[in-house]
Amino acid sequence: MKLLIDDANVNAIRRLIDLYPIDGVTTNPTILARTGGNPVETLKEIRSVIGQERLLFVQAIPLDAEGMIRDARAIVHLLGKTTVVKVPAIPEGIKAIRELKGEGIRTCGTVVYTPMQAFLAAKAGASYVAPYVNRIDNMGYDGISVTEQIHDILTVHHMDTQVLAASFKNSRQVLTLCAYGIGSATCAPDVIDGFIRNRAIDAAAEDFLSDFAKLVGEHVSMADLLS
Ligand code: E4P
């Protein structure tokens, strides 16, 4: 499963990229607005932090196909070929996805709430479809099973589209979809940190350190002993 950071805070992205095997970054207009900075400068900085090999997802702003296509061309021109354009999977968006597929621009059908909406985006040629797990849960439906059903539809029809599950609020949601075999997940920094943040884990690691210190003294590593 590809793991992406759903955030535009450059310091948070830099820290997570340094620590974890991260495949890319996803943004949306709300995430960019949260930074308070110039969105173009923020995106250029994110691209320079993550390098050209990682994926960067950037959303087209207009809600009409012509405007989405114009944004998509400009976004890929600025940020390079490993940039995927997020296109809201509304009727005009499905039209834009089909056109952009013809131009060789990779898209992600976003704001996906239903399996057949995802199917339409995939059939139009989207490389990814992004169901919003937690937002679907908040509507009283089951975001996990909607996402699993989308994954099944794409698989059974041999579609060349991957699920990019989004809108997570906790690691349990990510775990369930990871075990199911979905292709990619994008998570806010606190959700990624939550995969591994646990007092029992820290205590176990610290116990090893203090036991060894009792034997050889404080701050002595194997490298120190072997040098
Ligand atoms: C990512 O592609 C989505 O835009 C994002 O995950 C939505 O998350 P939210 O529901 O926390 O806003």
Side-chain angles (χ1 to χ4, degrees):
M1 183 180 81
K2 286 190 200 117
L3 179 62
L4 297 101
I5 304 167
D6 199 23
D7 203 48
N9 180 303
V10 176
N11 290 333
I13 292 168
R14 195 178 280 115
R15 179 179 67 80
L16 291 169
I17 292 269
D18 180 51
L19 293 172
Y20 303 129
I22 298 290
D23 297 291
V25 169
T26 60
T27 64
N28 65 33
T30 306
I31 287 172
L32 288 171
R34 215 180 284 144
T35 68
N38 177 313
V40 172
E41 292 310 313
T42 302
L43 290 166
K44 279 162 61 178
E45 211 180 335
I46 294 173
R47 173 52 86 201
S48 108
V49 166
I50 69 174
Q52 287 297 331
E53 73 283 4
R54 291 189 181 88
L55 294 168
L56 177 56
F57 286 67
V58 181
Q59 193 158 325
I61 305 299
L63 297 181
D64 64 288
E66 198 183 323
M68 290 169 174
I69 291 164
R70 215 170 134 250
D71 265 23
R73 290 176 185 145
I75 288 166
V76 172
H77 180 72
L78 177 76
L79 299 164
K81 290 261 178 227
T82 49
T83 306
V84 180
V85 180
K86 291 171 73 180
V87 176
I90 57 177
E92 288 286 313
I94 302 298
K95 179 177 169 183
I97 288 168
R98 205 173 62 226
E99 172 71 29
L100 291 166
K101 169 77 175 172
E103 293 186 22
I105 293 180
R106 281 192 285 172
T107 57
C108 170
T110 192
V111 297
V112 168
Y113 286 76
T114 76
M116 289 312 291
Q117 184 194 5
F119 173 76
L120 272 183
K123 196 167 166 59
S127 300
Y128 298 86
V129 286
Y132 283 14
V133 176
N134 201 67
R135 291 197 201 187
I136 296 170
D137 281 353
N138 283 341
M139 292 167 72
Y141 298 101
D142 184 344
I144 297 290
S145 53
V146 167
T147 304
E148 289 174 350
Q149 198 173 21
I150 293 170
H151 175 87
D152 291 347
I153 289 169
L154 300 178
T155 306
V156 81
H157 291 286
H158 307 288
M159 294 174 113
D160 198 17
T161 304
Q162 197 172 85
V163 169
L164 168 68
S167 179
F168 289 106
K169 285 295 164 278
N170 62 63
S171 47
R172 172 84 200 180
Q173 294 168 325
V174 188
L175 160 67
T176 306
L177 290 174
C178 184
Y180 199 75
I182 60 147
S184 24
T186 185
C187 310
D190 66 311
V191 174
I192 295 176
D193 285 327
F195 294 175
I196 200 166
R197 191 176 43 220
N198 181 309
R199 283 189 188 167
I201 296 171
D202 293 345
E206 279 154 20
D207 282 350
F208 287 129
L209 190 67
S210 65
D211 286 345
F212 201 63
K214 284 176 209 150
L215 179 68
V216 298
E218 295 284 332
H219 310 300
V220 179
S221 69
M222 291 301 286
D224 295 330
L225 293 176
L226 294 169
S227 62

